[in-house]
Amino acid sequence: MNVRRAHHEDAVTVAALLDEATVWVRDLGFSQWPLPFPRDQLAAAIDRGEVYVVEAEDGEAVATVSMLPDDPMYWGDQPPDAFYVHKLAVRRDRAGRVTCTTGDQRARGQRGQQGRNRYSRSAHPDDDRPQGAASCP
């Protein structure tokens, strides 16, 4: 697996991954993200360098994850020593073959590059599942 920062030409693929995950989570009885995911928000997140694409060995995009340097909405004010993982979505036909740890590994690497000591996965505040489990098999 290869994890790389998303580019504008990835926006359609990332949006499709998020929309597919949204439908899957909704079928499980949870409301995760708006459907369709707002394209303007996605474009802005790509501009900020927050969105990553996970590629299979053949270069096909199979997952996406967003990583943020802060997350006051979910974690409140925190010292700048953490990195926050959001919007981890895996293509359903790759569930079980692409693990959530792929995104976590990238988050750990980013965390170290930016001088942060920890990272956290976030989920919707009404979601009682483990943080970050919303789009993982």
Side-chain angles (χ1 to χ4, degrees):
M1 295 286 161
N2 178 48
V3 181
R4 64 170 176 78
R5 188 166 273 155
H7 305 287
H8 282 281
E9 56 269 17
D10 297 311
V12 171
T13 300
V14 171
L17 289 163
L18 292 169
D19 289 348
E20 181 183 24
T22 300
V23 170
W24 178 68
V25 169
R26 186 173 291 165
D27 289 348
L28 294 174
F30 296 92
S31 176
Q32 186 72 17
W33 303 307
L35 184 65
F37 192 87
R39 290 353 189 213
D40 57 334
Q41 289 180 23
L42 180 57
I46 290 172
D47 283 344
R48 290 189 301 270
E50 297 170 352
V51 182
Y52 291 80
V53 174
V54 180
E55 298 173 322
E57 290 77 16
D58 63 2
E60 183 178 13
V62 295
T64 184
V65 62
S66 293
M67 292 179 264
L68 310 176
D70 59 10
D71 188 9
M73 177 187 278
Y74 291 100
W75 295 93
D77 291 329
Q78 299 290 325
D81 66 346
F83 208 64
Y84 300 89
V85 175
H86 279 265
K87 297 178 192 73
L88 179 57
V90 177
R91 270 187 25 200
R92 300 319 314 146
D93 66 344
R94 293 296 184 115
R97 291 182 281 164
V98 175
T99 66
C100 291
T101 58
T102 302
D104 287 346
Q105 289 168 351
R106 180 63 181 180
R108 286 185 193 106
Q110 269 308 99
R111 175 197 68 193
Q113 290 174 8
Q114 295 192 13
R116 294 170 185 259
N117 300 320
R118 59 190 177 89
Y119 79 102
S120 300
R121 291 185 288 173
S122 296
H124 192 278
D126 295 333
D127 188 347
D128 60 359
R129 291 171 291 168
Q131 294 291 327
S135 316
C136 302

